[in-house]
Amino acid sequence: MNELFDWFGMAANWSGEDGVPVRLGEHLWYVFQSLVIALVIAVPLGLFVGHTGRGSVVIVAVGNAIRALPTLGLVTFLFLLLTESELATVIGLVILAIPPILAGTYAGLRATDRGVVDAAVGVGMTGWQQLWKVEVPIALPLVLGGVRNAVLQLVATAAVASYVGLGGLGRYLLDGLAILDYAEVMAGAILTALLAIVLDLLFAGLQRAVVPRGVRLAAVAAGKGGVNAGGAE
């Protein structure tokens, strides 16, 4: 434990190309790139499938298959195929991030009360208006929940970038193991965990700010109703 405190107390570990700020910035960059690309792919697809109901079986099957892929093996394969470290890493992370975002978006829309949708149809809303004015606002808690899940997975898995010669917090894990410096390994793990916690708190705050209060209260009420029903059974 003293060695760990010594590692964090060394000025050399907080400056230069191998310093914590640089490695943290690299890690965040991989997460940011992957998240944006995954959002561009998964959210429109989830909205389409959730709104129309078409292709839901295929989406579930593909999502489950992707979840089973080992990210490190996938990144290594892509690196050997593309010979480009960052591209291989980002593609691997995007593939990892798509299923939770897609599942959250699809589930959010399908969970929308059909009576509310029917009422929107009854007042003459078009399909586009139903989607953006009714379904999406109600589905936001689950959509953002899927995004938060994806962010946590990306932060934890972006460490694989170090295995194909890139930076990020994973360098501390890989380099520490190479020289049996377990204080460095623990520091890398702690920094990664702290980053995941901070980002999750930020997204929790965003979720609270973006989701309408009425929708939040309805979601809480629905959750309590489900618990009570489960207890009654």
Side-chain angles (χ1 to χ4, degrees), residues 67-223:
R67 289 175 190 272
L69 291 174
T71 307
L72 178 57
L74 178 61
V75 170
T76 303
F77 170 75
L78 290 171
F79 173 68
L80 295 174
L81 183 67
L82 303 172
T83 66
E84 175 59 45
S85 298
E86 186 163 346
L87 180 60
T89 299
V90 170
I91 292 176
L93 292 176
V94 167
I95 293 174
L96 172 73
I98 284 176
I101 298 174
L102 183 58
T105 306
Y106 166 75
L109 263 67
R110 298 310 295 173
T112 304
D113 189 338
R114 305 324 295 174
V116 176
V117 177
D118 291 340
V121 175
V123 299
M125 283 189 177
T126 64
W128 190 257
Q129 290 174 324
Q130 294 167 36
L131 176 63
W132 290 106
K133 293 185 176 182
V134 177
E135 292 176 290
V136 169
I138 294 176
L140 269 179
L142 286 177
V143 175
L144 293 177
V147 175
R148 286 176 64 183
N149 189 4
V151 170
L152 290 176
Q153 293 187 38
L154 286 173
V155 171
T157 315
V160 301
S162 61
Y163 286 87
V164 290
L166 295 180
L169 297 176
R171 291 268 22 136
Y172 298 131
L173 303 176
L174 189 64
D175 295 344
L177 286 173
I179 60 175
L180 301 181
D181 185 348
Y182 297 113
E184 184 173 355
V185 174
M186 290 178 63
I190 290 172
L191 288 169
T192 303
L194 288 175
L195 177 60
I197 292 171
V198 170
L199 288 180
D200 189 55
L201 290 174
L202 288 175
F203 273 90
L206 175 65
Q207 186 172 358
R208 185 174 182 81
V210 171
V211 177
R213 184 171 183 273
V215 175
R216 291 203 310 270
L217 294 176
V220 171

Side-chain angles (χ1 to χ4, degrees), residues 7-8 10-28 167-172 175 184 187-188 191:
W7 191 94
F8 278 109
M10 290 179 62
N13 292 327
W14 296 88
S15 61
E17 294 182 358
D18 295 327
V20 172
V22 172
R23 294 303 186 201
L24 180 61
E26 291 170 341
H27 205 94
L28 284 170
L169 297 176
R171 291 268 22 136
Y172 298 131
D175 295 344
E184 184 173 355
L191 288 169

